[in-house]
Amino acid sequence: MQSHMTLKALAQQWKYDLDCEKMDVYSHTTLLSEIDINDEGRDIALKGENGDFCGWIPYSILMKEVWKQWKLTKAYYETFLNSVESAVTTVDSNGDIVHLNPISEAMYGISLNEVYGQSITNYFEKEAIVLMSTMKERQGVMGKYNQPHPNVHVLITTSPVYVDEEVVGGISIERDITEMVKLNDKLSSTTEYLHNLESATQNQQNLSPFNKIKGRSPVLKDAINLANKVAKTDAAVLITGESGVGKELFAEGIHKAGNRSNKPFVAINCGAIPNALFESELFGYEQGAFTGAIKGGKKGKFDAAKGGTIFLDEVGEMPLELQVKLLRVLQEKHYYRVSGNEAIPTDVRIIAATNRDLEKMIDEGSFREDLYYRLNVISISIPPLRDRIEDVPELIQLFLTEFSLKYAMPIPEVSPEVMYSFLQHPWQGNIRQLRNIIERVIILANDNEVIKPHHLPKNFMKENKPPTLQRQFENTEKINGQGEEEIQYALQKTYGNKAAAAKLLGISRATLYNKLKKYELQ
């Protein structure tokens, strides 16, 4: 943006004599930096770097150019402020409002025309104004959480404005995160409500704490047995596994099977909470902790989970500076609310989960080793779906029933080709991916239509596949020779689907029926 002209350029524009051989014009980037105004105020003398006179410009011409450049600068300034997608407020050295952009006007329900020149303290409580402390302390803030109005939550960035060494004003930029905060609060309260409702229903029906985890594979049963065993203790548990394997279901099961089952289960997604909000979300804050903080302060998740369980999902996404604060709480067994001086004892069980390799992150310096060992007293690894492929048919039937009821459609039949494809698929997205695909086919299939390969996503068949399940039988006698045990195994894996079992075994359907008759397996 060319808000200024050099003296040389201005003189040349108006064709006034200027001996620039003696003058470093590039050092004179402001119009009034090296000038003398004579007593009459009409002519402006120009000096070179050695102090000698080297030209002149009429006062009126200079003032016209200054006015032109000021208008140009003001136009850029106002256009910039009005184009920013955040609320922008500027004040002078006294804290009087100089500018509010349209987003700031809309956010706070005030008009620039009404408040221009008035103190910003007239419209916000004094302690709620970060901008005033920024100018007083001559130090800005970056991305700090603030609650300037009771129902407005923002991330604020402020800077003092200097002319030479003097602070002449301040500017604040605020990004509205109100909906994010409200959604997070609503999600937390809804999750707690649903958990309490499920716990009550489960107790009435005498269901297993792990009843929501479906499957009969040995590796899954081993994980459930371990979870059930550690549930009776208060030891910290780290649940690992790929995205979509059901880590939160295991965390809920551990809580329900433990001694804290009648207390709250509070889940926190460490990857979804903005860094500036994280500490206050976990530990709460005292009145006045943030500018505009609600009177009386606010409780955090540790308060909400008192006596119960805190589930730290995606703990590998937690920033290093927040890992330090969590580690201190785990070590000292108490915490402080933001800006609070009272030590509050912790009475929660910690269960964490991650789909990342924390040991690798430790080597890379992105996860603290001491926190890792605090969280990893007991480790439970949830197997990916491709390692328990025998559970796929049961999960398919479960999801077919679920979505058929949801969309008021009959439960469709799955063709052998599709079932075979499901059994061979690597399932990078695990159970979540399978569930989404079943919902898709329920929506796209017509009533009483058999699910065929064309109902599947286009890229589904193109993904790399693991070795066929028939290789699992290589250490036994060939199927075509005998195979009662192998046939039973194949039927179990295909959930009784004979066509899919035949394809899995590498024999025709007629041959399979003959063997079923032979071994009296029908």
Side-chain angles (χ1 to χ4, degrees), residues 137-311:
E137 298 171 6
R138 303 171 72 93
Q139 184 171 358
V141 300
M142 178 69 69
K144 179 181 178 181
Y145 170 72
N146 189 30
Q147 191 177 352
H149 273 191
N151 295 318
V152 178
H153 304 262
V154 301
L155 292 181
I156 184 171
T157 297
T158 64
S159 294
V161 178
Y162 293 94
V163 171
D164 296 327
E165 298 296 324
E166 181 184 0
V167 175
V168 298
I171 181 169
S172 73
I173 302 174
E174 298 167 301
R175 181 162 67 90
D176 190 358
I177 59 170
T178 303
E179 291 305 315
M180 183 187 302
V181 172
K182 289 181 177 178
L183 180 61
N184 183 65
D185 290 342
K186 184 176 181 180
L187 181 60
S188 297
S189 60
T190 302
T191 300
E192 183 177 353
Y193 170 76
L194 290 176
H195 168 73
N196 293 335
L197 184 62
E198 288 176 358
S199 296
T201 303
Q202 179 178 322
N203 292 335
Q204 291 175 358
Q205 298 180 358
N206 197 28
L207 298 175
S208 164
F210 299 94
N211 70 296
K212 294 170 68 175
I213 302 172
K214 304 300 181 182
R216 299 172 293 170
S217 61
V219 287
L220 182 65
K221 287 182 178 180
D222 288 344
I224 294 175
N225 289 338
L226 177 57
N228 196 36
K229 185 175 182 179
V230 302
K232 310 303 180 184
T233 73
D234 264 352
V237 178
L238 178 63
I239 303 174
T240 61
E242 297 176 5
S243 178
V245 295
K247 295 186 289 294
E248 184 166 355
L249 295 182
F250 271 83
E252 290 181 4
I254 293 171
H255 173 75
K256 292 175 184 177
N259 299 324
R260 298 174 178 264
S261 59
N262 60 340
K263 296 295 184 179
F265 176 83
V266 177
I268 302 170
N269 188 322
C270 299
I273 302 176
N275 294 357
L277 289 178
F278 201 93
E279 187 176 2
S280 63
E281 281 293 301
L282 254 63
F283 311 124
Y285 57 81
E286 297 290 352
Q287 180 173 334
F290 303 118
T291 55
I294 58 177
K295 293 185 177 180
K298 180 182 177 181
K299 293 184 176 181
K301 302 302 185 185
F302 271 76
D303 288 288
K306 185 176 182 180
T309 300
I310 283 185
F311 175 49

Side-chain angles (χ1 to χ4, degrees), residues 331-456:
Q331 289 175 334
E332 299 175 358
K333 304 297 183 183
H334 64 258
Y335 62 94
Y336 295 89
R337 292 179 182 168
V338 177
S339 293
N341 297 316
E342 179 185 355
I344 304 174
T346 57
D347 182 20
V348 297
R349 180 180 193 168
I350 301 293
I351 301 177
T354 183
N355 61 4
R356 303 185 65 181
D357 185 342
L358 295 187
E359 293 185 354
K360 181 179 179 181
M361 293 179 65
I362 291 172
D363 292 338
E364 295 171 347
S366 57
F367 200 86
R368 292 185 63 95
E369 185 175 15
D370 43 10
L371 177 59
Y372 172 72
Y373 288 116
R374 284 282 179 177
L375 297 175
N376 191 29
V377 176
I378 301 293
S379 179
I380 300 176
S381 178
I382 313 303
L385 188 55
R386 60 183 169 274
D387 288 349
R388 55 186 186 101
I389 206 71
E390 57 265 54
D391 290 337
V392 168
E394 180 179 354
L395 292 170
I396 290 173
Q397 294 300 323
L398 176 70
F399 297 144
L400 284 174
T401 302
E402 175 188 346
F403 291 116
S404 293
L405 290 173
K406 178 179 179 179
Y407 297 111
M409 299 176 65
I411 300 176
E413 179 185 351
V414 178
S415 70
E417 295 88 350
V418 170
M419 181 63 74
Y420 185 68
S421 297
F422 282 162
L423 292 172
Q424 287 199 320
H425 197 72
W427 297 113
Q428 300 297 333
N430 293 291
I431 298 173
R432 185 182 297 120
Q433 182 187 9
L434 174 60
R435 188 175 185 272
N436 290 343
I437 288 179
I438 295 300
E439 183 174 15
R440 168 194 169 93
V441 299
I442 287 289
I443 293 172
L444 296 182
N446 298 320
D447 289 354
N448 299 317
E449 186 178 7
V450 176
I451 303 302
K452 297 283 189 179
H454 70 267
H455 291 113
L456 303 178

Side-chain angles (χ1 to χ4, degrees), residues 305-338:
K306 185 176 182 180
T309 300
I310 283 185
F311 175 49
L312 300 172
D313 197 9
E314 297 186 23
V315 72
E317 306 300 325
M318 185 183 295
L320 276 171
E321 62 269 22
L322 300 177
Q323 294 177 29
V324 175
K325 295 176 181 178
L326 176 61
L327 175 64
R328 186 177 301 118
V329 171
L330 298 180
Q331 289 175 334
E332 299 175 358
K333 304 297 183 183
H334 64 258
Y335 62 94
Y336 295 89
R337 292 179 182 168
V338 177

